[in-house]
Amino acid sequence: MHNAQPWLFRFDRSRGVFQLRADPDRRLALSDPEGRATYLGCGAALFNLRVAAAHAGWKPVTRLLPDRRDPYALAEVTLDGGRALYEATRQPYHKTTATYRRSGQPYDGTADAYDELADLYPALRRRRTTRTPFSDEPIDEQLLGTLRRAALVEGARLAFPDDFHRDTVLELGREAEQRTLSDAALRAELASWTGDDRAVDGIPTAAFGPRARTGYAPVRDFAAGRGTPQEAQHPGEAAEFERTPRLALLGTHGDSPIDWLHAGQALERVLLEATLDGLVTSLASEALEWDELRWAVRDPLSAMSHVQMVIRFGYGEPGPAAPRRPVGDVLTFSGAPGRPAADPA
């Protein structure tokens, strides 16, 4: 949420285990009082770790919430076996993952699940949040099936609402934005995470996106309510956004911390799949920050119980890269190397 980057990683060299913890100093106390967005963000970072580990030839064995007494201990990832073991135990791979992406069909059991993870690696640095207009080019139904499957693999569901419910979701987002602007404390919290172009976190001005020339833009207006000219906060001129945004609801059956971690991993898997397939994306969490609005975001035609994120898909130019905290701020090491080959450093 707002590129707060609320994660901390520690690698235990002696055990070959990554520990993922939430950083309580980076939680948005007013907008995210229960910590749901923090868990989602950390879940997405966890999925990226799994992808990188698989790309390097390791099997990332993941355990969620390893210590229920510690609310900040979110996951442990054990690097199981070296590259030689990994290569020796791979199952026959009769089809490429690209073929499965195009078909949107589940694997037939002959492909190793870790190949799927590793195949997403090129998208890690390419994925962007794009708040500029998308084209009106339709998205192929098979590709939408691929995205649905990506969410399902991680224990979540992805539903594409019909036109009526899509418009309802957009209207709920506008309602949430107006609520935030009318609350001085929420407005101040939002401002503290946006518009600082020198920071290593948050959302810089260049990533705000343009204003909508007519109507409402299907993205959050981070410049609203700042008391400065709109043009000074939005790079470039006003623009025409797509007439019918393609929105999707990512959700889970439950709504507990472990569900949030599954949803975060599903979110990132969907975003990386979309990136590899040439789509651009943006996220919308405004309505989900208000309990009564979040309930209304649910699609009455789907079996989804709890919406965790609203995603906008389309075709267009990728947005600018978001700033990132230095590696030394988010990754530490402990223990003596027991298996030098397992040291990711």
Side-chain angles (χ1 to χ4, degrees):
M1 188 175 184
H2 306 338
N3 192 32
Q5 303 171 55
W7 45 76
L8 295 171
F9 289 92
R10 177 181 291 275
F11 183 68
D12 186 333
R13 299 173 189 266
S14 61
R15 299 167 56 212
V17 174
F18 276 101
Q19 298 170 327
L20 168 63
R21 295 183 60 82
D23 186 342
D25 294 334
R26 294 181 164 271
R27 178 171 167 179
L28 283 76
L30 299 179
S31 302
D32 184 33
E34 296 182 337
R36 187 180 64 85
T38 295
Y39 277 76
L40 285 172
C42 288
L46 171 62
F47 185 78
N48 284 346
L49 170 61
R50 291 169 53 203
V51 168
H55 171 76
W58 301 93
K59 290 188 175 183
V61 180
T62 305
R63 180 186 176 199
L64 299 181
L65 302 180
D67 185 353
R68 296 301 181 106
R69 298 166 300 177
D70 185 349
Y72 301 115
L74 303 189
E76 287 188 349
V77 178
T78 302
L79 302 183
D80 184 19
R83 180 176 293 277
L85 175 62
Y86 173 70
E87 294 292 342
T89 58
R90 289 172 68 184
Q91 298 176 14
Y93 195 42
H94 300 311
K95 298 181 180 180
T96 66
T97 50
T99 300
Y100 284 103
R101 268 199 205 91
R102 287 193 298 270
S103 70
Q105 299 299 313
Y107 280 174
D108 59 8
T110 60
D112 195 314
Y114 297 102
D115 284 309
E116 280 194 84
L117 285 175
D119 197 48
L120 294 171
Y121 184 79
L124 287 182
R125 293 182 181 275
R126 288 168 44 198
R127 192 201 70 75
R128 301 283 188 269
T129 296
T130 303
R131 299 182 181 89
T132 54
F134 298 170
S135 76
D136 286 307
E137 179 182 352
I139 302 174
D140 185 81
E141 183 58 38
Q142 287 188 330
L143 178 50
L144 298 182
T146 297
L147 300 176
R148 292 188 188 95
R149 177 187 176 275
L152 197 61
V153 166
E154 298 299 328
R157 290 187 178 276
L158 192 71
F160 292 89
D162 60 21
D163 292 348
F164 176 81
H165 194 63
R166 178 203 63 221
D167 293 342
T168 298
V169 172
L170 291 171
E171 188 58 41
L172 290 169
R174 295 172 195 132
E175 166 67 17
E177 196 166 59
Q178 290 303 312
R179 291 189 183 194
T180 298
L181 292 176
S182 65
D183 186 307
L186 284 172
R187 209 165 55 238
E189 183 180 69
L190 178 63
S192 69
W193 287 99
T194 56
D196 185 350
D197 295 337
R198 297 171 296 178
V200 296
D201 52 20
I203 301 175
T205 306
F208 282 9
R211 292 173 291 118
R213 183 172 292 119
T214 57
Y216 292 96
V219 292
R220 193 169 198 153
D221 187 354
F222 288 109
R226 291 176 179 264
T228 56
Q230 190 85 327
E231 289 76 14
Q233 294 295 329
H234 286 283
E237 298 179 354
E240 290 287 348
F241 282 78
E242 63 269 30
R243 294 186 297 275
T244 56
R246 173 59 96 171
L247 300 184
L249 309 179
L250 179 81
T252 52
H253 178 71
D255 199 33
S256 67
I258 200 166
D259 295 302
W260 302 338
L261 286 173
H262 281 299
Q265 292 176 89
L267 171 65
E268 189 68 358
R269 187 167 200 141
V270 167
L271 295 177
L272 295 180
E273 288 277 8
T275 298
L276 287 185
D277 284 307
L279 295 172
V280 290
T281 57
S282 65
L283 306 178
S285 63
E286 303 97 300
L288 306 180
E289 295 160 24
W290 302 85
D291 288 343
E292 64 275 23
L293 300 184
R294 183 185 175 206
W295 180 253
V297 169
R298 294 171 62 251
D299 188 342
L301 298 181
S302 78
M304 187 181 299
S305 299
H306 301 278
V307 178
Q308 305 294 351
M309 186 58 65
V310 179
I311 312 173
R312 169 176 164 246
F313 295 97
Y315 294 98
E317 292 298 320
R324 286 288 179 261
R325 301 166 64 191
V327 172
D329 287 358
V330 298
L331 174 63
T332 56
F333 294 84
S334 65
R339 296 180 296 169
D343 188 346

